[in-house]
Amino acid sequence: MQSTGTTAPLDIPRGLAGVVVTDTALGDVRGREGFYHYRQYSAVELAESRGFEDVWHLMFHGELPDAAQRTEFLAHAASLRHLPGDVRAALPAIARSCALSGPLAGLRTALSLLGASMGMRPVYDLDAGRRKADALAVCAAVPTLLTALHRLGQGLDPVEPRDDLPYAANYLYMLTGSEPEPDRARAIEQYLVSTIDHGFNASTFTARVIASTGADVAACLVGAIGALSGPLHGGAPSRALDTLDAIGTEDRIDSWIRERVLAGERIMGFGHPVYRTEDPRSRMLRQIAESFGGPLVEFAIQVEAHVEAILAELKPGRELHTNVEFYAGVVMEQCGLPREMFTPTFCAARVVGWSANILEQAEDSKIIRPAARYVGPPPPQPLPVVS
C-alpha cells in the first residue's frame, strides 16, 4: 500500500475485524468467554437486577445512582420526553412519507428536526456539561418519536408520555395506549438494558466517527441509526421470527434448515461476529421467554436445538449458537410489540450506548481518518482526446 503522508498505512483485516481503534471506559465484549460488561459491571447482571435508568446513569455518569440520585435522574429524564411543538406538528408528514419504510427511517428525519429545533451545536464547541445535556434530551425523546411515528402510521393518534412511568413502561404505554402489565414491562426493560451497548459494533463506530468530526449529538445519532437500519446489524429480531413462521412445525425443521445452510444462506438469529460461545444475552432472554411459556417458546427452543445440531454437523469446528436477536423476537412478540417495532425498540435502548460513546469520543479532538488501498487503473493516465 502506498502512503501519501508521513506515516505508511498498515494492512488490516477486512471490516476492521479485531482492530483496536481507541481506548474506552464504557465497556467491552469478551467473545471467547461469552461475557460483556458496562463499565465495571456485568451487563447481564445489571439487566437482571437494575432498572433502565440506573444503567443509563451508569453509562453517562460513570456510577450507579444511589436512591436520591435515582429519584432525581428519573424525574429529569421523564421531563425531557415531551417534544417541542414544531417537531410534534411535523410528525404526521414524516409518518406519511415513511409509510413504506417504517418508524426507524422516520426517526432519522425526526431526530434531525429535533436537533435543529433545540438549536444543538457541534460537540466541538460545547463543554462536557452541555454535551451531556444534549445527549440526555435526545435519549429521552427517542421513545416518544418512535411510538408517535408508529401510531401515526397505523392511523392512530400519538399517546403523550407519562412522567410517572419508568422508561420501559412508558415506552409500552405510548406504543399501545394502555399501561402495561408489570411482568411485560419488566421483560422489555431487561431486554432494553441488555442491548444498551455492545462494543464497537457498526452503529457505535459510526456514531464515534461522526463525533470525531465535532458534529452535534443529533447528527451523530442519525448516522448511527442509518448503520443500525441495515439487516446485517439491527434487523434480525423480526427476521428470526419470520424463520420460525416459515418452518412452521417441528417435522420441517431439519429439511428447512439443511436446505438453506447447504445453499450458503444465513440463518437469522444464529451466529455472531464476536461470540465464540453462547451469546449471554440470548441465555437471559431465553429464561425470560420461558417464564411466559406457550407454544411459541416451546417451538423456538426446539428450533434452537435442531439448528445448533445441524450447524455443528455441516460446519464443524465453528461455534454457532443463538444470538440476541433470536429470543429477543420471541420476548417482544410475547409482550405484544408489533414486529415492525422490534428494531426500533432495539434503537430505543442503543441510543443511550451511542450517546455515551459520543460523549467519550468528544473528549478526543483527533478526527478518525483511516486510509484505503487504491486498486483501480494505475495513475496518471493520459486524458482521452475529446472527439
Side-chain angles (χ1 to χ4, degrees):
M1 181 186 294
Q2 294 181 337
S3 172
T4 57
T6 58
T7 303
L10 301 174
D11 282 330
I12 57 176
R14 287 181 64 221
L16 304 181
V19 175
V20 175
V21 296
T22 194
D23 295 329
T24 182
L26 296 174
D28 194 20
V29 180
R30 304 209 295 252
R32 294 190 180 278
E33 302 172 40
F35 173 79
Y36 75 114
H37 57 102
Y38 302 155
R39 297 198 183 269
Q40 67 269 41
Y41 302 110
S42 161
V44 171
E45 288 183 12
L46 287 167
E48 291 172 340
S49 62
R50 291 288 190 141
F52 187 86
E53 284 88 350
D54 279 9
V55 185
W56 186 357
H57 188 282
L58 170 69
M59 297 301 285
F60 272 39
H61 298 288
E63 62 181 9
L64 288 168
D66 58 27
Q69 289 171 325
R70 178 186 298 113
T71 299
E72 180 181 358
F73 188 80
L74 262 68
H76 182 48
S79 71
L80 297 171
R81 294 170 179 166
H82 303 273
L83 303 175
D86 55 345
V87 175
R88 191 166 57 248
L91 292 181
I94 295 173
R96 286 194 299 273
S97 299
C98 299
L100 297 178
S101 49
L104 200 61
L107 181 63
R108 298 199 299 264
T109 300
L111 269 188
S112 291
L113 178 59
L114 179 67
S117 175
M118 295 178 63
M120 286 190 180
R121 294 164 53 209
V123 295
Y124 184 83
D125 297 328
L126 304 178
D127 61 26
R130 184 64 254 174
R131 294 171 192 155
K132 194 172 293 183
D134 283 354
L136 187 67
V138 175
C139 289
V142 161
T144 309
L145 291 170
L146 283 173
T147 54
L149 289 168
H150 171 72
R151 289 182 64 86
L152 287 165
Q154 301 297 309
L156 302 170
D157 291 331
V159 175
E160 285 298 308
R162 280 175 49 179
D163 294 354
D164 62 314
L165 293 176
Y167 191 88
N170 179 65
Y171 177 71
L172 291 174
Y173 168 72
M174 290 191 296
L175 187 64
T176 66
S178 301
E179 187 170 342
E181 296 177 14
D183 60 340
R184 264 62 177 174
R186 179 56 183 153
I188 294 301
E189 182 172 53
Q190 289 181 273
Y191 167 67
L192 293 175
V193 171
S194 74
T195 52
I196 281 176
D197 192 53
H198 202 249
F200 267 42
N201 53 78
S203 56
T204 297
F205 186 53
T206 300
R208 291 190 73 127
V209 169
I210 299 172
S212 79
T213 73
D216 66 76
V217 169
C220 299
L221 291 172
V222 169
I225 294 165
L228 179 69
S229 67
L232 295 183
H233 186 9
S238 60
R239 291 170 185 248
L241 274 188
D242 292 342
T243 295
L244 295 180
D245 289 344
I247 295 171
T249 57
E250 184 180 6
D251 61 293
R252 282 172 40 84
I253 298 174
D254 281 30
S255 61
W256 197 94
I257 296 297
R258 284 180 186 276
E259 179 181 341
R260 278 146 186 84
V261 173
L262 291 173
E265 296 180 22
R266 180 184 176 191
I267 307 300
M268 286 296 184
F270 287 82
H272 194 276
V274 176
Y275 288 117
R276 295 299 173 262
T277 183
E278 187 178 20
D279 188 330
R281 301 169 297 178
S282 179
R283 279 198 303 269
M284 185 195 75
L285 290 166
R286 181 170 60 234
Q287 293 170 356
I288 294 172
E290 288 174 331
S291 72
F292 290 115
L296 175 62
V297 177
E298 294 173 4
F299 186 54
I301 292 172
Q302 290 172 340
V303 169
E304 178 188 17
H306 281 268
V307 172
E308 289 196 348
I310 294 169
L311 290 174
E313 173 194 339
L314 299 180
K315 296 181 179 290
R318 295 182 61 185
E319 289 285 342
L320 294 169
H321 304 279
T322 53
N323 55 42
V324 63
E325 286 89 1
F326 187 79
Y327 282 105
V330 174
V331 169
M332 284 189 275
E333 183 99 337
Q334 289 174 306
C335 292
L337 275 72
R339 293 189 187 186
E340 62 269 22
M341 288 300 290
F342 285 5
T343 301
T345 301
F346 180 96
C347 178
R350 187 56 61 86
V351 67
V352 170
W354 290 331
S355 295
N357 274 275
I358 291 164
L359 296 175
E360 187 176 64
Q361 185 65 45
E363 296 296 322
D364 183 355
S365 61
K366 180 69 173 178
I367 191 171
I368 297 174
R369 201 326 189 157
R373 180 192 296 108
Y374 175 72
V375 296
Q381 298 280 352
L383 292 175
V385 176
V386 178
S387 59

